[in-house]
Amino acid sequence: EPEVTQTPSHQVTQMGQEVILRCVPISNHLYFYWYRQILGQKVEFLVSFYNNEISEKSEIFDDQFSVERPDGSNFTLKIRSTKLEDSAMYFCASSEQGTGNTIYFGEGSWLTVV
Amino acid sequence: QQQVKQSPQSLIVQKGGISIINCAYENTAFDYFPWYQQFPGKGPALLIAIRPDVSEKKEGRFTISFNKSAKQFSLHIMDSQPGDSATYFCAASPPWGKLIFGQGTELSVKP
């Protein structure tokens, strides 16, 4: 079964450093998402991306965050200057069509900011 | 209005019993209601989903009941098994909008 793959699975970074989380969505999918989950809390929407541009973003997704699809297969989330409160599990997801259809999640990248 | 409220926060059920998790929403524009299952250290995996034009959907031991007038929907797990022990999230989205998750229910099925 096709799957969304994410790297790294775990990253520890110092506060103020830049982090890039990488994702390979399912190959025929057109819509891409990043969600995050702080330990023990619910899954929160960060951003959706379609046709090489952001289609929606949450209030969490401030100027410190950016997304990019640098080539035909990768989808990245960059956090420019990490803060302690950015420590969370970050999930990449993709869907063949927009929201309202099945969204497939990767296994997550656990980010620890120290 | 964008929230999805989920209860209970945790649930302990005996093997073979029925697990019931409830969710409520306010935004009448929501038209897609999936349930996700998450095991520790893993991403959420779609379990079952429903749209508001039906009141119930069953897939194996999993059933979604949907009450449009009350703006509530629930997940029923029949014949619960220890392997069902996981965190379950309800979610909802409007057309072309983001998927909003409930707080999650940690289910433990005792042998």
Side-chain angles (χ1 to χ4, degrees), chain A residues 2 7 9 16 19 22 40 46 56-57 63 85 88 92 97 101 106 109:
Chain A
T7 55
S9 57
V19 161
R22 292 181 167 81
L46 290 179
E56 189 173 359
K57 61 182 180 179
D63 292 343
E85 55 264 38
C92 176
Q97 300 175 43
N101 293 276
S109 293

Side-chain angles (χ1 to χ4, degrees), chain A residues 31 33 35 37 40-45 56-59 89 91 97-108, chain B residues 2-4 31-32 36 38 41-46 51 87 89 93-104:
Chain A
Y31 295 81
Y33 313 87
Y35 285 77
Q37 186 178 30
Q41 298 187 22
K42 70 176 179 180
V43 180
E44 299 176 290
F45 170 80
E56 189 173 359
K57 61 182 180 179
S58 72
E59 59 275 8
M89 180 75 92
F91 292 107
Q97 300 175 43
T99 308
N101 293 276
T102 302
I103 295 179
Y104 295 87
F105 285 80
E107 298 220 326
Chain B
Q2 288 282 59
Q3 283 188 338
V4 178
D31 72 342
Y32 177 66
Y36 281 83
Q38 185 180 32
K42 301 292 185 182
L46 180 69
R51 296 192 185 273
T87 299
F89 291 94
S93 72
W96 309 111
K98 63 191 177 194
L99 196 60
I100 297 166
F101 283 80
Q103 291 292 119

Side-chain angles (χ1 to χ4, degrees), chain A residues 22-59:
Chain A
R22 292 181 167 81
C23 168
V24 179
I26 295 173
S27 62
N28 63 332
H29 286 188
L30 301 177
Y31 295 81
F32 314 114
Y33 313 87
W34 284 100
Y35 285 77
R36 81 172 186 189
Q37 186 178 30
I38 294 170
L39 187 64
Q41 298 187 22
K42 70 176 179 180
V43 180
E44 299 176 290
F45 170 80
L46 290 179
V47 66
S48 57
F49 191 86
Y50 169 72
N51 199 26
N52 281 320
E53 60 182 27
I54 291 173
S55 47
E56 189 173 359
K57 61 182 180 179
S58 72
E59 59 275 8

Side-chain angles (χ1 to χ4, degrees), chain B residues 39-109:
Chain B
F39 292 103
K42 301 292 185 182
L46 180 69
L47 198 58
I48 186 173
I50 198 168
R51 296 192 185 273
D53 52 344
V54 297
S55 60
E56 187 174 283
K57 183 174 181 180
K58 184 176 181 179
E59 288 183 2
R61 296 185 293 109
F62 301 92
T63 300
I64 299 180
S65 296
F66 186 83
N67 186 329
K68 188 174 181 178
S69 60
K71 291 185 279 187
Q72 295 175 347
F73 58 111
S74 59
L75 175 70
H76 295 232
I77 306 174
M78 312 299 287
D79 187 26
S80 299
Q81 299 296 313
D84 297 331
S85 298
T87 299
Y88 292 81
F89 291 94
C90 63
S93 72
W96 309 111
K98 63 191 177 194
L99 196 60
I100 297 166
F101 283 80
Q103 291 292 119
T105 296
E106 192 173 342
L107 172 66
S108 178
V109 181

Side-chain angles (χ1 to χ4, degrees), chain A residues 50-109:
Chain A
Y50 169 72
N51 199 26
N52 281 320
E53 60 182 27
I54 291 173
S55 47
E56 189 173 359
K57 61 182 180 179
S58 72
E59 59 275 8
I60 303 168
F61 195 88
D62 61 21
D63 292 343
Q64 299 281 43
F65 292 87
S66 62
V67 289
E68 193 177 35
R69 187 156 164 81
D71 53 43
S73 59
N74 291 285
F75 180 51
T76 63
L77 174 69
K78 183 192 289 187
I79 309 174
R80 186 153 24 119
S81 179
T82 50
K83 303 188 276 269
L84 293 176
E85 55 264 38
D86 294 328
S87 294
M89 180 75 92
Y90 288 81
F91 292 107
C92 176
S94 69
S95 64
E96 192 172 355
Q97 300 175 43
T99 308
N101 293 276
T102 302
I103 295 179
Y104 295 87
F105 285 80
E107 298 220 326
S109 293

